[in-house]
Structures are given as structure tokens and as C-alpha cells.
Amino acid sequence: MAYASVGELLSAATDGDRQAWNELVDRYGRLVWAVIRSFGLDHATAADVNQTVWLRLVEHCADIRDPQRLPGWLATTTRREAIRVVRGQRRQQPSEVVLDVPDRSAPAVDELLLDEEVSREVYAAFGHLPAACQQLLRLLTAEPRLDYATIGQVIGRPVGSIGPTRARCIAQLRRLLDTAHNTGTRSHG
Amino acid sequence: MVEHDDAQLLAALGRAFDAIDPPPEQVLEQARNAFVWQSIDAELAELVYDSETSGDMAVRGSDTREMTFRAPGIEVEVMVVSEHHRSLIGQVVPAQEAAVELLHGGGAVTSRTDALGRFAFDRVAAGAVKLVVVTVTGTRVQTEGLVI
């Protein structure tokens, strides 16, 4: 099962093969989660959105004819659900929910046991980026990879803007890293 | 640090997300469990109206969410009311007598519509739910699953 193609997994799941379904969750669970978290949703809301997205896939497994489209389908379905809950929350607490709020529920960097100093520093710097850059970089690092067209749909921007924005956000990330190094801190400031 | 190119920086950031913010196991388990409704043999009625995304001011700020699900020849209107407890009130359109099943995490509850097609489920637990309508002619229609 581990080597089955996505197309085979989708059609097996459509035929009721639970193993195939679990394999799809294993392969794409991180991707859906990354897209949800790129919208800055807290854990409880993120869990609800995640559940809804997978319910949608159960219902539409048979409709996805081109398996290559699955990551894009999952990403845009996730976007739709994330935006829906954000709007619903805004209605109930108009001032408390902002679409692209940075992730506040992530643990502090000090608590991490990252094996790599580089990842640790990059993550600390990431926390200081503007929300739009945080969202884009979260999407660009999602696995399996999302293409620029899909990322454009998720953030509601033209596909042609993704490359330049990516370059700008990475340049900003690099400046934050340099600053952190020059000041000799781990960029908590 | 300065020597890393863009791709290497992104890769390092990706590894950080994997370490810091992976999908919680409970979230993956819910995704696996979504499969329980895979075998439902019923036409899918898709969500065509949702008060949460419609910009409809009438329900803004209230604890009521209204939705319409549509399949060929039939609509299911559903209102989720969250006050003291959560209720699910709805109507099958065109009005008709039908059996309505509410599927939820723990199983199913069955009810019937009145002559006007109306139905209600009281004290519905939070979580994933789905309605299955069975008409007198035996047509089976399922709404898209919802998390309430």
C-alpha cells in the first residue's frame, strides 16, 4: 500500500478501502494542516476545519479524476472552510478575529528541541515577519508541494505575484536573521 | 547563516514547522474517522447557501446558522440553533413526508418530517453531523457533512 499511486488510493478509497483512506490522510494530513495554520486559526477552530475538509474529500473522492489535482483540491477546499469560519467568528466577536493573525499558539522557541540551530533561528525570525509573509512562507513550505497557481488561489493573489512576493519575504527573513546575528541575540526582541 | 540560499532557508523553515507545529494526532484521527460515512448510498446534496458566508445581515451576530443543501429535485434547509443547547431544525423542499436520519459521531437518530416537510433534532452534540433524507419513493439524499 505504501507505494500505491494517488490515483489508486483515491479509487480504492472510493470503493471503501479504509487502508487506502488512511494512507491518503498520512500523505496529505500535513498539507491540509499547513494551509489551515497559514490562516492563523487557533487549534480548536483548526481542528474543526480539518475535519470538514476530510468529510468533503470522502464525499468527492470519486469526482477527482486527475490525481495530480488532489493537493490543489485539498488546499482550495481548506481555504474555503477557513474563510467561512473566520467570517463566522467575526460576526460573533467582530474585534477579536483577524484573518491573517500570526500564529500565537505556537510554543516559544526556547521550548523547542529542534535538532538544527538553523531551523531554530529561521523560525524565530519568521515570527517577526508581517502576517502576509508568514502565510505565504507557510504555504511555500507545505509538503507535498503546492504549485504557485494553487497558492495564488489560497491567498487570493494573482499567480504572477507569488514569485516576487516570495523573494521579498525571504529577503526580509534574511535581514531579520542578520540582525539577530549582529545583535548577538536569538531574535526575541 | 548568510551562506544559505533561498531554497535552503525555506527548507530549514519547513523543518521547523514539522518540529513545532505538526498536525496533532487527534486531528489526523478525525481525518481518518471521516471515512465512516464513505459507504452511504445516497445522492449528495451540496451546500448552496450558508448564512455564515452570505453577508446576510439578518443573522449576523446571532447564534443561528442557516444552510441550504441541494440535490436534483430536492432541497434540505437546515438551521443550527446554539442557545441553551444545540438544535438542528429543518425542512425538506418541496414539502413532503420523509424519514430524516441525523448521523453523528456516535451513530444515528431517525425522525420523520411533518406534512410540511419540517423536522427537528434537539440536543445535538458538537462534532461532525450529516443528514440523510429518505423520501416516500425511496430516494435517498445526504447533505454534505458539517462540523457543528
Side-chain angles (χ1 to χ4, degrees), chain A residues 13-14 16-18 21-22 25-26 30 33 37 43 47-48 50-52 54-56 58-60 84 87 91 107 112 114 116 118-119 121-123 126 138 141 166 170 174 177, chain B residues 1 4-6 9-10 12-24 27-28 30-35 37-38 44 46 50-53 55 60-61 65 128 130 144-145 147:
Chain A
T14 303
D17 182 340
R18 187 162 190 132
W21 176 259
N22 290 347
V25 174
D26 285 347
R30 276 195 308 158
W33 185 250
R37 297 290 273 166
H43 264 264
D48 284 356
N50 179 74
Q51 200 174 3
T52 307
W54 292 98
L55 289 173
R56 274 318 145 265
V58 170
E59 292 155 358
H60 292 282
R84 183 186 66 68
R87 286 189 182 156
R91 283 176 190 193
L112 304 176
L114 289 180
E116 282 181 89
V118 176
S119 284
E121 291 178 1
V122 172
Y123 187 76
F126 171 83
R138 183 84 214 233
T141 54
R166 172 188 190 269
I170 293 177
R174 189 166 273 124
L177 285 164
Chain B
M1 204 70 241
H4 293 93
D5 66 20
D6 287 5
L9 268 187
L10 276 185
L13 186 59
R15 287 193 296 277
F17 289 133
D18 281 345
I20 296 156
D21 190 20
V27 157
L28 294 176
Q30 285 176 332
R32 292 184 197 106
N33 288 340
F35 199 63
W37 292 336
Q38 189 276 333
L44 187 67
E46 301 212 32
D50 184 341
S51 59
E52 278 193 351
T53 49
R60 188 168 290 236
R65 181 180 171 197
K130 179 188 280 278
E144 289 187 340
V147 178

Coordinates of all heavy atoms in Angstrom, one line a residue, chain A residues 13-14 16-18 21-22 25-26 30 33 37 43 47-48 50-52 54-56 58-60 84 87 91 107 112 114 116 118-119 121-123 126 138 141 166 170 174 177, chain B residues 1 4-6 9-10 12-24 27-28 30-35 37-38 44 46 50-53 55 60-61 65 128 130 144-145 147:
Chain A
A13 N -10.2 4.1 -2.1 CA -11.0 4.8 -1.0 C -12.4 4.9 -1.5 O -13.4 4.6 -0.7 CB -10.4 6.1 -0.7
T14 N -12.6 5.2 -2.7 CA -14.0 5.3 -3.3 C -14.7 4.0 -3.2 O -15.9 3.9 -3.0 CB -13.9 5.8 -4.8 OG1 -13.2 7.0 -4.8 CG2 -15.3 5.9 -5.3
G16 N -14.3 1.9 -0.8 CA -14.5 1.6 0.6 C -13.3 1.0 1.3 O -13.4 0.5 2.4
D17 N -12.1 1.2 0.7 CA -10.9 0.6 1.3 C -10.3 1.6 2.3 O -9.8 2.6 2.0 CB -9.8 0.4 0.1 CG -8.5 -0.2 0.7 OD1 -8.3 -0.1 1.9 OD2 -7.8 -0.7 -0.2
R18 N -10.5 1.2 3.5 CA -10.1 2.1 4.6 C -8.6 2.3 4.7 O -8.1 3.4 5.1 CB -10.6 1.5 6.0 CG -10.4 2.5 7.1 CD -11.2 2.2 8.3 NE -11.0 3.5 9.1 CZ -11.8 4.2 9.7 NH1 -13.1 3.9 9.6 NH2 -11.5 5.3 10.3
W21 N -7.7 5.0 2.4 CA -8.1 6.3 3.0 C -7.0 6.8 4.0 O -6.6 7.9 4.0 CB -9.4 6.2 3.7 CG -9.8 7.5 4.3 CD1 -9.8 7.7 5.7 CD2 -10.3 8.7 3.7 NE1 -10.2 9.0 5.9 CE2 -10.5 9.6 4.8 CE3 -10.6 9.0 2.4 CZ2 -11.0 10.9 4.5 CZ3 -11.0 10.3 2.1 CH2 -11.2 11.2 3.2
N22 N -6.6 5.8 4.9 CA -5.7 6.2 5.9 C -4.3 6.7 5.3 O -3.7 7.6 5.8 CB -5.4 5.0 6.9 CG -6.6 4.8 7.8 OD1 -7.5 5.6 7.9 ND2 -6.6 3.7 8.5
V25 N -4.7 10.2 4.2 CA -4.5 11.1 5.4 C -3.0 11.2 5.8 O -2.6 12.3 6.1 CB -5.4 10.6 6.6 CG1 -5.1 11.4 7.8 CG2 -6.9 10.6 6.3
D26 N -2.3 10.1 5.7 CA -0.9 10.1 6.1 C -0.1 11.0 5.1 O 0.8 11.7 5.5 CB -0.3 8.7 6.0 CG -0.7 7.9 7.2 OD1 -1.2 8.4 8.2 OD2 -0.5 6.6 7.2
R30 N -0.5 16.6 6.6 CA 0.3 17.8 7.0 C 0.1 19.0 6.1 O 0.1 20.1 6.5 CB 1.8 17.4 6.8 CG 2.4 16.7 8.0 CD 3.9 16.6 7.9 NE 4.4 16.1 6.6 CZ 5.6 16.4 6.1 NH1 6.4 17.1 6.7 NH2 5.9 15.8 4.9
W33 N -3.1 20.7 7.2 CA -2.9 21.4 8.4 C -2.1 22.7 8.1 O -2.3 23.7 8.7 CB -2.1 20.5 9.4 CG -1.8 21.0 10.7 CD1 -0.6 21.4 11.2 CD2 -2.8 21.3 11.7 NE1 -0.8 21.9 12.5 CE2 -2.1 21.8 12.9 CE3 -4.2 21.1 11.8 CZ2 -2.8 22.2 14.0 CZ3 -4.9 21.5 13.0 CH2 -4.2 22.0 14.1
R37 N -3.3 26.4 9.1 CA -2.5 27.2 10.1 C -2.0 28.5 9.4 O -1.7 29.5 10.1 CB -1.3 26.4 10.6 CG -1.8 25.2 11.4 CD -2.4 25.6 12.7 NE -1.4 25.7 13.8 CZ -1.6 26.3 14.9 NH1 -2.8 26.9 15.2 NH2 -0.7 26.4 15.8
H43 N -6.0 26.3 17.6 CA -6.1 24.9 17.4 C -7.5 24.3 17.3 O -7.8 23.4 16.5 CB -5.3 24.2 18.6 CG -3.9 23.9 18.2 ND1 -3.5 22.6 17.8 CD2 -2.8 24.6 18.1 CE1 -2.2 22.6 17.5 NE2 -1.8 23.8 17.7
A47 N -8.9 22.4 14.1 CA -9.4 21.0 14.1 C -10.7 20.8 13.5 O -10.9 19.9 12.7 CB -9.4 20.5 15.6
D48 N -11.6 21.8 13.7 CA -13.0 21.7 13.0 C -12.8 21.9 11.5 O -13.5 21.1 10.8 CB -13.9 22.8 13.6 CG -14.4 22.5 15.0 OD1 -14.1 21.4 15.5 OD2 -15.1 23.4 15.5
N50 N -10.2 21.2 9.7 CA -9.6 20.0 9.2 C -10.6 18.9 9.0 O -10.7 18.2 8.0 CB -8.5 19.5 10.2 CG -7.8 18.3 9.8 OD1 -7.0 18.3 8.9 ND2 -8.2 17.2 10.4
Q51 N -11.5 18.7 10.0 CA -12.5 17.6 10.0 C -13.4 17.8 8.8 O -13.7 16.9 8.0 CB -13.3 17.6 11.3 CG -14.0 16.3 11.5 CD -14.6 16.2 12.9 OE1 -14.6 17.2 13.6 NE2 -15.2 15.1 13.2
T52 N -13.8 19.1 8.6 CA -14.7 19.4 7.5 C -14.1 19.1 6.1 O -14.7 18.5 5.2 CB -15.2 20.8 7.5 OG1 -15.7 21.1 8.8 CG2 -16.2 21.1 6.5
W54 N -11.8 16.9 5.4 CA -11.8 15.4 5.1 C -13.1 14.9 4.9 O -13.3 13.9 4.1 CB -11.0 14.7 6.2 CG -9.5 15.1 6.2 CD1 -8.9 16.1 7.0 CD2 -8.5 14.6 5.3 NE1 -7.6 16.2 6.6 CE2 -7.3 15.3 5.6 CE3 -8.5 13.7 4.3 CZ2 -6.1 15.1 4.9 CZ3 -7.3 13.4 3.6 CH2 -6.2 14.2 3.9
L55 N -14.2 15.4 5.5 CA -15.5 15.0 5.2 C -15.8 15.3 3.7 O -16.4 14.5 3.0 CB -16.6 15.7 6.0 CG -16.6 15.3 7.5 CD1 -17.6 16.3 8.3 CD2 -17.1 13.9 7.7
R56 N -15.4 16.5 3.2 CA -15.5 16.8 1.8 C -14.8 15.9 0.9 O -15.4 15.5 -0.1 CB -15.0 18.2 1.5 CG -15.7 19.5 1.7 CD -17.2 19.4 1.3 NE -17.8 20.2 2.3 CZ -18.4 19.8 3.4 NH1 -18.6 18.5 3.5 NH2 -19.0 20.6 4.2
V58 N -14.2 12.7 1.5 CA -14.9 11.5 1.5 C -16.0 11.6 0.5 O -16.3 10.6 -0.3 CB -15.5 11.1 2.9 CG1 -16.5 10.0 2.8 CG2 -14.4 10.8 3.9
E59 N -16.7 12.7 0.5 CA -17.9 12.9 -0.4 C -17.5 13.0 -1.9 O -18.3 12.8 -2.8 CB -18.7 14.1 0.0 CG -19.3 13.9 1.4 CD -19.6 15.2 2.1 OE1 -19.3 16.3 1.6 OE2 -20.2 15.1 3.2
H60 N -16.2 13.5 -2.1 CA -15.9 13.8 -3.5 C -14.7 13.0 -4.1 O -14.2 13.3 -5.1 CB -15.5 15.3 -3.6 CG -16.7 16.2 -3.4 ND1 -17.6 16.4 -4.4 CD2 -17.2 16.9 -2.3 CE1 -18.6 17.2 -3.9 NE2 -18.3 17.5 -2.7
R84 N -14.7 30.6 5.8 CA -16.0 30.6 6.3 C -16.0 30.7 7.8 O -16.8 31.5 8.4 CB -16.7 29.3 5.9 CG -18.1 29.2 6.4 CD -18.7 27.8 6.1 NE -18.1 26.7 6.9 CZ -18.2 26.6 8.2 NH1 -18.9 27.5 8.9 NH2 -17.6 25.6 8.8
R87 N -15.1 34.2 9.0 CA -16.2 35.1 8.9 C -17.3 34.9 10.0 O -17.8 35.8 10.5 CB -16.9 35.0 7.5 CG -16.1 35.6 6.4 CD -16.8 35.6 5.1 NE -16.0 36.1 4.1 CZ -16.1 35.9 2.8 NH1 -17.1 35.1 2.4 NH2 -15.4 36.4 1.9
R91 N -18.4 37.6 13.1 CA -19.8 38.1 13.3 C -20.0 38.0 14.8 O -20.8 38.8 15.4 CB -20.8 37.2 12.6 CG -20.8 37.6 11.2 CD -21.7 36.7 10.4 NE -21.4 37.0 9.0 CZ -22.2 36.7 8.0 NH1 -23.2 36.0 8.2 NH2 -21.9 37.0 6.8
P107 N 4.5 27.1 20.4 CA 5.3 27.2 21.6 C 6.4 28.2 21.4 O 6.9 28.5 20.3 CB 5.8 25.8 21.7 CG 5.7 25.2 20.4 CD 4.6 25.8 19.7
L112 N 11.7 24.6 22.3 CA 11.8 23.6 21.2 C 13.0 22.8 21.3 O 14.0 23.2 21.9 CB 11.9 24.4 19.9 CG 10.7 25.3 19.6 CD1 11.0 26.1 18.4 CD2 9.5 24.5 19.6
L114 N 14.6 21.6 18.6 CA 15.0 21.5 17.2 C 16.4 21.0 17.1 O 17.3 21.4 17.8 CB 14.9 22.8 16.5 CG 13.5 23.3 16.2 CD1 13.5 24.6 15.5 CD2 12.7 22.3 15.4
E116 N 18.4 21.4 14.8 CA 19.2 22.2 14.0 C 19.1 23.7 14.4 O 18.1 24.2 14.5 CB 18.8 22.2 12.5 CG 19.2 21.0 11.8 CD 18.6 21.2 10.4 OE1 19.4 21.7 9.5 OE2 17.5 20.8 10.1
V118 N 19.9 26.1 12.7 CA 19.4 26.9 11.6 C 17.9 27.0 11.6 O 17.3 28.1 11.6 CB 19.9 26.3 10.3 CG1 19.3 27.1 9.1 CG2 21.4 26.4 10.2
S119 N 17.3 25.9 11.8 CA 15.8 25.9 11.8 C 15.3 26.7 13.0 O 14.3 27.5 12.9 CB 15.3 24.4 12.0 OG 15.4 23.8 10.8
E121 N 16.8 29.3 14.4 CA 16.9 30.7 14.1 C 16.0 31.2 13.0 O 15.4 32.3 13.1 CB 18.4 31.0 13.6 CG 19.4 30.8 14.8 CD 20.8 31.0 14.3 OE1 21.0 31.3 13.1 OE2 21.7 30.8 15.1
V122 N 15.8 30.4 12.0 CA 14.9 30.8 11.0 C 13.4 30.9 11.5 O 12.7 31.8 11.2 CB 14.9 29.7 9.8 CG1 13.8 30.0 8.8 CG2 16.3 29.8 9.1
Y123 N 13.1 30.0 12.4 CA 11.7 30.0 12.9 C 11.5 31.3 13.8 O 10.5 31.9 13.8 CB 11.4 28.8 13.7 CG 9.9 28.7 14.2 CD1 8.9 28.4 13.3 CD2 9.6 29.1 15.5 CE1 7.6 28.4 13.7 CE2 8.3 29.0 15.9 CZ 7.3 28.7 15.0 OH 6.0 28.7 15.4
F126 N 11.1 34.1 11.5 CA 9.8 34.0 10.9 C 8.7 34.7 11.7 O 7.8 35.4 11.2 CB 9.4 32.5 10.7 CG 8.0 32.3 10.2 CD1 7.7 32.3 8.9 CD2 7.0 31.9 11.1 CE1 6.4 32.1 8.5 CE2 5.7 31.6 10.7 CZ 5.4 31.7 9.4
R138 N 4.5 29.9 4.9 CA 3.9 28.6 5.4 C 3.4 27.7 4.3 O 3.6 26.5 4.3 CB 2.8 28.9 6.4 CG 2.2 27.7 7.1 CD 2.9 27.3 8.3 NE 3.0 25.8 8.4 CZ 2.6 25.2 9.6 NH1 2.2 25.9 10.6 NH2 2.6 23.9 9.7
T141 N 6.3 26.2 2.2 CA 7.0 25.1 2.8 C 6.1 23.8 3.0 O 6.6 22.8 3.5 CB 7.6 25.5 4.2 OG1 6.5 26.0 5.0 CG2 8.6 26.6 4.0
R166 N 7.5 36.1 -2.8 CA 8.3 35.1 -2.2 C 9.7 35.6 -2.0 O 10.3 35.5 -0.9 CB 8.4 33.8 -3.1 CG 9.4 32.7 -2.6 CD 9.4 31.7 -3.7 NE 10.2 30.5 -3.4 CZ 11.5 30.3 -3.6 NH1 12.2 31.3 -4.1 NH2 12.1 29.2 -3.2
I170 N 11.5 36.4 1.6 CA 12.7 35.7 2.0 C 13.8 36.7 2.3 O 14.6 36.5 3.2 CB 13.2 34.6 0.9 CG1 12.1 33.5 0.9 CG2 14.5 34.1 1.2 CD1 12.4 32.4 -0.2
R174 N 15.8 37.1 5.7 CA 17.3 37.1 5.8 C 17.8 38.3 6.6 O 18.7 38.2 7.4 CB 17.9 37.0 4.4 CG 19.3 36.8 4.3 CD 19.8 36.5 2.9 NE 19.8 35.1 2.6 CZ 19.1 34.5 1.6 NH1 18.4 35.3 0.8 NH2 19.1 33.2 1.4
L177 N 17.4 37.6 10.2 CA 18.4 36.7 10.7 C 19.7 37.4 10.9 O 20.4 37.2 11.9 CB 18.6 35.5 9.6 CG 17.5 34.5 9.6 CD1 17.5 33.7 8.4 CD2 17.6 33.6 10.9
Chain B
M1 N 24.9 31.5 8.5 CA 23.5 31.7 8.1 C 23.5 32.4 6.8 O 22.7 32.1 5.9 CB 22.9 32.7 9.2 CG 21.5 32.6 9.3 SD 20.9 31.1 10.0 CE 19.9 30.4 8.7
H4 N 23.3 30.6 3.3 CA 22.2 29.7 2.8 C 21.4 30.4 1.7 O 21.1 31.6 1.8 CB 21.2 29.4 4.0 CG 21.8 28.5 5.0 ND1 22.5 29.0 6.1 CD2 21.9 27.2 5.1 CE1 23.0 28.0 6.8 NE2 22.6 26.9 6.2
D5 N 21.1 29.7 0.6 CA 20.3 30.3 -0.4 C 18.8 30.2 -0.1 O 18.5 29.6 1.0 CB 20.6 29.6 -1.8 CG 20.2 28.2 -1.8 OD1 19.4 27.7 -1.0 OD2 20.7 27.5 -2.7
D6 N 18.0 30.7 -0.9 CA 16.5 30.8 -0.6 C 15.9 29.4 -0.4 O 15.2 29.3 0.6 CB 15.8 31.5 -1.8 CG 16.0 33.0 -1.9 OD1 16.9 33.5 -1.1 OD2 15.4 33.6 -2.7
L9 N 16.9 28.1 3.0 CA 16.2 28.8 4.1 C 14.8 28.3 4.2 O 14.3 28.0 5.3 CB 16.1 30.3 3.8 CG 17.2 31.2 4.3 CD1 16.9 32.7 4.1 CD2 17.4 31.0 5.8
L10 N 14.1 28.1 3.1 CA 12.8 27.6 3.1 C 12.8 26.2 3.7 O 11.9 25.8 4.4 CB 12.2 27.6 1.7 CG 11.5 28.9 1.2 CD1 10.9 28.7 -0.1 CD2 10.5 29.5 2.2
A12 N 14.8 24.9 5.8 CA 15.0 25.0 7.2 C 13.7 25.4 7.9 O 13.4 24.9 9.0 CB 16.2 26.0 7.5
L13 N 13.0 26.3 7.3 CA 11.8 26.8 7.9 C 10.8 25.6 7.9 O 10.0 25.4 8.9 CB 11.2 28.0 7.1 CG 10.0 28.7 7.6 CD1 10.2 29.2 9.1 CD2 9.6 29.8 6.7
G14 N 10.7 24.9 6.8 CA 9.8 23.7 6.7 C 10.1 22.7 7.8 O 9.2 22.2 8.4
R15 N 11.4 22.5 8.1 CA 11.7 21.5 9.1 C 11.3 22.1 10.5 O 10.9 21.3 11.4 CB 13.2 21.2 9.1 CG 13.7 20.4 8.0 CD 15.1 19.8 8.2 NE 16.1 20.9 8.2 CZ 16.7 21.4 7.1 NH1 16.3 21.0 5.9 NH2 17.6 22.4 7.2
A16 N 11.4 23.4 10.6 CA 10.9 24.0 11.9 C 9.4 23.8 12.1 O 9.0 23.4 13.2 CB 11.2 25.5 11.9
F17 N 8.6 24.0 11.0 CA 7.2 23.7 11.1 C 6.9 22.3 11.5 O 6.0 22.0 12.3 CB 6.5 24.1 9.8 CG 6.4 25.6 9.6 CD1 6.7 26.1 8.3 CD2 6.0 26.5 10.5 CE1 6.7 27.5 8.1 CE2 6.0 27.8 10.3 CZ 6.3 28.3 9.1
D18 N 7.6 21.4 10.8 CA 7.4 20.0 11.1 C 7.7 19.7 12.6 O 7.0 18.8 13.2 CB 8.4 19.1 10.3 CG 7.9 19.0 8.8 OD1 6.7 19.3 8.6 OD2 8.7 18.6 8.0
A19 N 8.7 20.3 13.2 CA 9.0 20.1 14.5 C 8.1 20.8 15.5 O 7.7 20.3 16.6 CB 10.5 20.5 14.8
I20 N 7.7 22.0 15.2 CA 6.9 22.9 16.1 C 5.4 22.7 16.0 O 4.7 22.8 16.9 CB 7.4 24.3 15.9 CG1 8.8 24.5 16.2 CG2 6.5 25.3 16.7 CD1 9.4 25.7 15.5
D21 N 5.0 22.6 14.8 CA 3.5 22.7 14.5 C 3.0 21.6 13.6 O 2.4 21.9 12.6 CB 3.2 24.1 14.0 CG 1.7 24.4 14.0 OD1 0.9 23.7 14.7 OD2 1.2 25.3 13.2
P22 N 3.3 20.4 13.9 CA 2.8 19.3 13.0 C 1.3 19.1 13.3 O 0.8 19.6 14.4 CB 3.6 18.1 13.4 CG 3.9 18.3 14.9 CD 4.0 19.9 15.0
P23 N 0.5 18.5 12.4 CA -0.9 18.2 12.8 C -0.9 17.3 14.0 O -0.3 16.3 14.1 CB -1.4 17.5 11.5 CG -0.2 17.0 10.8 CD 0.9 18.0 11.1
P24 N -1.7 17.7 15.0 CA -1.8 16.9 16.2 C -2.4 15.5 15.9 O -3.2 15.4 14.9 CB -2.8 17.7 17.1 CG -2.8 19.1 16.6 CD -2.5 19.0 15.1
V27 N -6.1 15.3 15.4 CA -6.6 15.9 14.2 C -6.5 14.9 13.1 O -7.4 14.8 12.2 CB -5.8 17.2 13.9 CG1 -5.8 17.6 12.4 CG2 -6.3 18.4 14.7
L28 N -5.4 14.2 13.0 CA -5.3 13.1 12.0 C -6.3 12.0 12.2 O -6.8 11.4 11.3 CB -3.8 12.6 12.0 CG -2.7 13.6 11.6 CD1 -1.4 13.0 11.8 CD2 -3.0 14.1 10.2
Q30 N -9.3 12.4 13.5 CA -10.6 12.8 13.0 C -10.6 12.7 11.5 O -11.7 12.4 10.9 CB -10.8 14.3 13.4 CG -11.2 14.4 14.9 CD -11.3 15.9 15.3 OE1 -10.7 16.8 14.7 NE2 -12.1 16.1 16.3
A31 N -9.5 13.0 10.8 CA -9.5 12.9 9.4 C -9.7 11.4 9.0 O -10.4 11.1 8.0 CB -8.1 13.4 8.8
R32 N -9.0 10.5 9.7 CA -9.2 9.1 9.4 C -10.7 8.7 9.6 O -11.3 7.9 8.8 CB -8.3 8.2 10.2 CG -6.8 8.4 9.9 CD -5.9 7.4 10.7 NE -4.6 7.9 10.6 CZ -3.9 8.5 11.7 NH1 -4.5 8.6 12.8 NH2 -2.7 8.9 11.5
N33 N -11.3 9.2 10.7 CA -12.6 8.8 11.1 C -13.7 9.4 10.1 O -14.8 8.9 10.1 CB -12.9 9.2 12.5 CG -12.2 8.4 13.5 OD1 -11.8 7.3 13.2 ND2 -12.1 8.9 14.7
A34 N -13.3 10.4 9.4 CA -14.3 10.9 8.4 C -14.7 9.9 7.4 O -15.8 10.0 6.8 CB -13.6 12.1 7.6
F35 N -13.9 8.8 7.3 CA -14.2 7.7 6.4 C -15.5 6.9 6.7 O -16.0 6.2 5.9 CB -13.0 6.8 6.3 CG -13.0 6.0 5.0 CD1 -12.9 6.5 3.8 CD2 -13.1 4.6 5.1 CE1 -12.9 5.8 2.6 CE2 -13.1 3.8 3.9 CZ -13.0 4.4 2.7
W37 N -18.4 7.7 6.9 CA -19.6 8.0 6.1 C -19.4 7.7 4.6 O -20.1 8.2 3.8 CB -20.1 9.4 6.3 CG -20.6 9.6 7.7 CD1 -21.1 8.6 8.5 CD2 -20.7 10.8 8.5 NE1 -21.5 9.2 9.7 CE2 -21.2 10.5 9.7 CE3 -20.3 12.2 8.2 CZ2 -21.5 11.5 10.7 CZ3 -20.5 13.1 9.2 CH2 -21.1 12.8 10.4
Q38 N -18.3 7.1 4.3 CA -17.9 6.8 2.9 C -19.0 6.0 2.2 O -19.3 6.1 1.0 CB -16.6 6.2 2.8 CG -16.0 6.0 1.4 CD -16.5 4.8 0.7 OE1 -16.8 3.8 1.3 NE2 -16.5 4.9 -0.6
L44 N -25.7 13.1 -3.2 CA -25.1 14.2 -2.3 C -25.9 15.5 -2.6 O -26.0 16.0 -3.8 CB -23.6 14.4 -2.7 CG -22.9 15.4 -1.8 CD1 -22.8 14.8 -0.3 CD2 -21.5 15.6 -2.3
E46 N -25.5 19.3 -2.1 CA -24.4 20.2 -1.9 C -24.9 21.5 -1.2 O -26.0 22.0 -1.4 CB -23.6 20.5 -3.1 CG -23.1 19.3 -3.8 CD -21.8 19.4 -4.5 OE1 -21.0 20.3 -4.1 OE2 -21.6 18.7 -5.5
D50 N -25.2 29.4 2.8 CA -24.7 29.3 4.1 C -24.7 30.8 4.7 O -24.0 31.6 4.2 CB -23.3 28.8 4.1 CG -22.8 28.5 5.5 OD1 -23.3 29.1 6.5 OD2 -21.8 27.7 5.7
S51 N -25.5 31.0 5.8 CA -25.6 32.3 6.3 C -24.2 32.8 6.8 O -24.0 34.1 6.8 CB -26.6 32.4 7.5 OG -26.2 31.5 8.5
E52 N -23.3 31.9 7.1 CA -22.0 32.4 7.6 C -21.2 33.1 6.5 O -20.3 33.8 6.7 CB -21.2 31.3 8.2 CG -21.6 31.0 9.6 CD -20.7 30.1 10.4 OE1 -19.8 29.6 9.8 OE2 -20.9 30.0 11.6
T53 N -21.5 32.7 5.2 CA -20.7 33.3 4.1 C -21.5 34.2 3.2 O -21.0 34.7 2.2 CB -20.0 32.2 3.3 OG1 -21.1 31.3 2.9 CG2 -18.9 31.5 4.0
G55 N -23.1 37.1 3.8 CA -23.1 38.5 4.1 C -24.5 39.0 4.4 O -24.8 40.2 4.4
R60 N -26.5 38.1 11.3 CA -25.2 38.5 11.8 C -25.2 38.6 13.3 O -26.1 39.2 13.8 CB -24.8 39.8 11.1 CG -23.4 40.2 11.5 CD -23.0 41.4 10.6 NE -22.8 40.9 9.2 CZ -21.7 41.1 8.5 NH1 -20.6 41.7 9.1 NH2 -21.6 40.7 7.3
G61 N -24.3 38.1 13.9 CA -24.2 38.2 15.4 C -25.1 37.3 16.2 O -25.0 37.2 17.4
R65 N -27.1 29.4 12.5 CA -26.5 29.3 11.2 C -27.5 28.6 10.3 O -28.1 27.6 10.6 CB -25.3 28.5 11.3 CG -24.5 28.3 10.0 CD -23.3 27.5 10.2 NE -22.7 27.1 8.9 CZ -21.8 26.1 8.7 NH1 -21.4 25.4 9.8 NH2 -21.3 25.8 7.5
A128 N -19.0 16.3 14.1 CA -19.4 16.1 12.7 C -20.8 15.5 12.6 O -21.2 14.6 13.4 CB -18.4 15.2 12.0
K130 N -24.3 14.8 9.7 CA -24.8 14.7 8.3 C -26.2 14.2 8.4 O -26.6 13.4 9.2 CB -23.9 13.6 7.6 CG -24.3 13.4 6.1 CD -23.6 12.3 5.5 CE -22.2 12.6 5.0 NZ -22.1 13.3 3.7
E144 N -24.1 17.4 2.6 CA -22.6 17.4 2.9 C -22.4 17.3 4.5 O -23.3 17.8 5.2 CB -22.0 18.7 2.4 CG -21.9 18.8 0.9 CD -21.1 20.0 0.5 OE1 -21.0 21.0 1.3 OE2 -20.7 20.1 -0.7
G145 N -21.4 16.8 4.9 CA -21.1 16.7 6.3 C -20.8 18.1 6.9 O -20.2 18.9 6.2
V147 N -19.4 20.3 10.5 CA -18.9 20.2 11.9 C -19.6 21.3 12.7 O -19.5 22.5 12.3 CB -17.4 20.4 12.0 CG1 -16.9 20.3 13.4 CG2 -16.7 19.3 11.2

